[in-house]
Amino acid sequence: MKNVRVELVIAGVRAGRVEVLLVRLPGSVGALPGSEVPAGRRVEDAAHDALAEGAGIRGLSLEQLYTFDRDGERAITVAHLGLVAAERHPPSPGPGVVEVRWFPLDDLPALDPDALEVIGYGRSRMRAKAAYAPIALQLLPELFTLAELQAVYEAVLERRLDTRNFRRDVLSAGVVEPVGRARADRPGRPASLYRSRAAADFQVLARERRIARAIAGASTHGGET
Amino acid sequence: MKNVRVELVIAGVRAGRVEVLLVRLPGSVGALPGSEVPAGRRVEDAAHDALAEGAGIRGLSLEQLYTFDRDGERAITVAHLGLVAAERHPPSPGPGVVEVRWFPLDDLPALDPDALEVIGYGRSRMRAKAAYAPIALQLLPELFTLAELQAVYEAVLERRLDTRNFRRDVLSAGVVEPVGRARADRPGRPASLYRSRAAADFQVLARERRIARAIAGASTHGGET
DNA sequence: TCAAAAGTGTTTCTCTTACACCCATGT
DNA sequence: ACATGGGTGTAAGAGAAACACTTTTGA
């Protein structure tokens, strides 16, 4: 018998940076959203509960990351990863939570080292997954421009992509479709909007690897060795 | 509070087939080695214990696979994967175990569906890992021929590799070194023996991907699309 | 008319794949 | 001598990467 906890790495991308959701509990520094798993509750359900209760975010699809067992005494922690469009999920602190906020990965507040390790796992998984699944589509609102899509990939993969190659590959993969309208709010030529063709089913099968590779792997632009 | 179990997928390769270790407990069909995790024991340590006690195999490096929580009531199961050279680890049944044996993946005995699912996870992980880490070196005895190495990859990847490409890639990757001697026990030209240059550190870093790809990806020979 | 972002094809190169014959030994 | 498995190089093709200018809008 052991105490079992869930912890959540909820990741989004904003302004070209990957961000994670952190909560602050009364009298403590920042931490990942999480909770104890009650005796009769499934671990995955408890993860959803913790996210809903701690940060007011519901209906996300969560993926198990790793099970940590640090000391053998206290509890084991089953870490999960969730990807969301940050702008569309303004988090609201639940009961017993002082503050919930997005923090860029490269500008995290003071955190306990275990949480940092969990975040590291999340970041790796995210990057690895980008290589075979169109995760960027989960990180954007329903309508987006190809430049925004590219920016998400660049943030996740931490390298610059070549625009021409990227556009060619994404379009020929057929995972997005143009909505035709164009923004005209900012200076510069307005971009056409697209939406994911995958619609509801973001779960990409392994045999669709070719598509995923196209969308993920689009070539670099003078990257390092 | 929940009961926590460990279960182990111990995989080897023999005669060109991937095999897993199964135990038979009194009055039950086959099952994966495993046990409850005692309260004060780390999960990973418990996994090593279960393998030592159930099958008499020690000192293996184990990798966490996934944490299963099937019903929410009984227990959660943290599954692990271990790779071994089957010939070098003749399993011996521990106390309370009727029989321990290697079974080829394509010829498993009656098993409960949960165990099959865990084995499926192990098989996927193994195949995926072969793409970026030289796992085949863990599946062979200390000295081996390149033909044996190739056979292991073919078993794990479930496709045939082209001998010339395979040898070129493996040798140019520099992960093995010739020991120079040659067997002369069977008919045919004796093969030179090699050993892993990685010696103790089988843990291959991500940035060595190029090497790993070389050893893993060596080209197909008229495989299917 | 200028600043700002969007959009568009072609060429080079590297990596992957395909392929067939001679060599060394045991019987 | 022959049967058996070991060992070797090259050429064609596919996929990845590099590269610069024109277009459309707001200010």
Side-chain angles (χ1 to χ4, degrees):
Chain A
M1 287 290 266
K2 287 186 161 258
N3 289 319
V4 179
R5 283 185 53 80
V6 285
E7 266 178 28
L8 295 145
V9 181
I10 305 300
V13 173
R14 197 165 38 173
R17 301 204 290 182
V18 179
E19 302 184 329
V20 291
L21 206 60
L22 297 181
V23 299
R24 199 165 61 220
L25 307 174
S28 113
V29 293
L32 292 170
S35 74
E36 282 281 325
V37 179
R41 194 91 176 118
R42 288 186 63 230
V43 171
E44 197 187 326
D45 297 334
H48 280 101
D49 295 347
L51 184 57
E53 284 158 25
I57 296 178
R58 279 155 225 283
L60 217 55
S61 107
L62 298 176
E63 168 182 351
Q64 195 186 107
L65 267 181
Y66 197 78
T67 298
F68 297 89
D69 183 6
R70 286 173 172 109
D71 41 35
E73 283 301 338
R74 240 185 311 175
I76 66 175
T77 300
V78 185
H80 296 256
L81 173 68
L83 305 178
V84 292
E87 310 94 334
R88 316 206 83 197
H89 286 276
S92 64
V97 174
V98 177
E99 191 188 8
V100 203
R101 251 186 65 199
W102 292 104
F103 286 89
L105 273 186
D106 53 17
D107 190 20
L108 292 173
L111 278 182
D112 115 312
D114 291 350
L116 280 178
E117 190 187 8
V118 175
I119 291 173
Y121 267 71
R123 200 181 62 122
S124 309
R125 176 72 62 86
M126 203 172 157
R127 221 176 321 179
K129 211 175 169 189
Y132 64 89
I135 62 165
L137 300 176
Q138 290 174 68
L139 294 164
L140 287 169
E142 201 198 333
L143 301 182
F144 51 86
T145 70
L146 291 186
E148 285 163 351
L149 182 60
Q150 182 177 345
V152 168
Y153 271 107
E154 290 182 336
V156 172
L157 299 173
E158 289 182 299
R159 62 177 165 136
R160 316 211 68 193
L161 303 176
D162 179 84
T163 303
R164 278 174 293 189
N165 293 337
F166 182 79
R167 298 172 68 85
R168 164 168 44 66
D169 294 344
V170 166
L171 292 177
S172 76
V175 289
V176 296
E177 60 186 0
V179 179
R181 288 180 293 128
R183 283 178 192 159
D185 47 348
R186 284 170 315 190
R189 173 174 174 176
S192 357
L193 292 174
Y194 292 79
R195 83 170 140 226
S196 163
R197 196 170 252 159
D201 51 313
F202 280 135
Q203 301 290 31
V204 170
L205 308 169
R207 59 192 116 128
E208 288 178 284
R209 148 176 321 220
R210 202 170 163 194
I211 291 175
R213 262 216 323 240
I215 204 179
S219 18
T220 57
H221 171 84
E224 68 218 336
T225 45
Chain B
M1 287 291 264
K2 287 185 162 256
N3 288 319
V4 179
R5 285 185 51 81
V6 286
E7 265 179 29
L8 295 147
V9 180
I10 304 300
V13 173
R14 198 165 37 175
R17 301 203 291 180
V18 179
E19 301 184 330
V20 290
L21 207 60
L22 297 180
V23 300
R24 199 164 60 220
L25 307 173
S28 113
V29 293
L32 292 169
S35 74
E36 282 281 324
V37 179
R41 193 94 175 115
R42 289 186 61 231
V43 170
E44 196 187 328
D45 297 334
H48 280 101
D49 296 347
L51 184 57
E53 284 159 24
I57 295 179
R58 278 154 226 283
L60 216 55
S61 108
L62 297 177
E63 168 183 350
Q64 197 186 106
L65 265 182
Y66 197 78
T67 298
F68 298 88
D69 183 5
R70 287 176 171 106
D71 42 35
E73 283 301 335
R74 241 184 311 175
I76 67 176
T77 301
V78 185
H80 295 255
L81 173 67
L83 304 178
V84 294
E87 310 93 336
R88 316 209 82 196
H89 286 274
S92 65
V97 175
V98 177
E99 190 188 10
V100 202
R101 251 187 64 200
W102 292 105
F103 287 88
L105 273 187
D106 52 17
D107 190 19
L108 293 173
L111 278 181
D112 113 313
D114 291 350
L116 281 178
E117 189 187 8
V118 175
I119 292 173
Y121 266 71
R123 199 180 62 124
S124 308
R125 176 73 61 90
M126 203 172 158
R127 223 178 316 178
K129 211 175 169 189
Y132 64 89
I135 61 165
L137 301 175
Q138 290 173 66
L139 294 165
L140 287 169
E142 201 197 334
L143 300 183
F144 50 87
T145 69
L146 291 187
E148 285 162 352
L149 183 60
Q150 181 177 346
V152 168
Y153 271 107
E154 290 181 337
V156 172
L157 299 173
E158 289 181 303
R159 60 175 165 139
R160 317 212 68 194
L161 303 176
D162 178 86
T163 303
R164 277 175 292 191
N165 294 336
F166 182 80
R167 298 172 68 86
R168 163 170 43 70
D169 294 343
V170 167
L171 292 176
S172 75
V175 289
V176 296
E177 61 186 1
V179 178
R181 288 180 294 127
R183 284 179 192 156
D185 46 349
R186 285 170 315 190
R189 172 175 175 179
S192 357
L193 291 174
Y194 292 80
R195 84 171 138 224
S196 163
R197 194 170 252 160
D201 51 312
F202 281 135
Q203 300 290 30
V204 170
L205 307 169
R207 60 192 117 128
E208 286 177 287
R209 149 178 317 222
R210 204 172 161 192
I211 292 175
R213 260 211 331 235
I215 203 177
S219 18
T220 57
H221 172 81
E224 67 218 334
T225 43

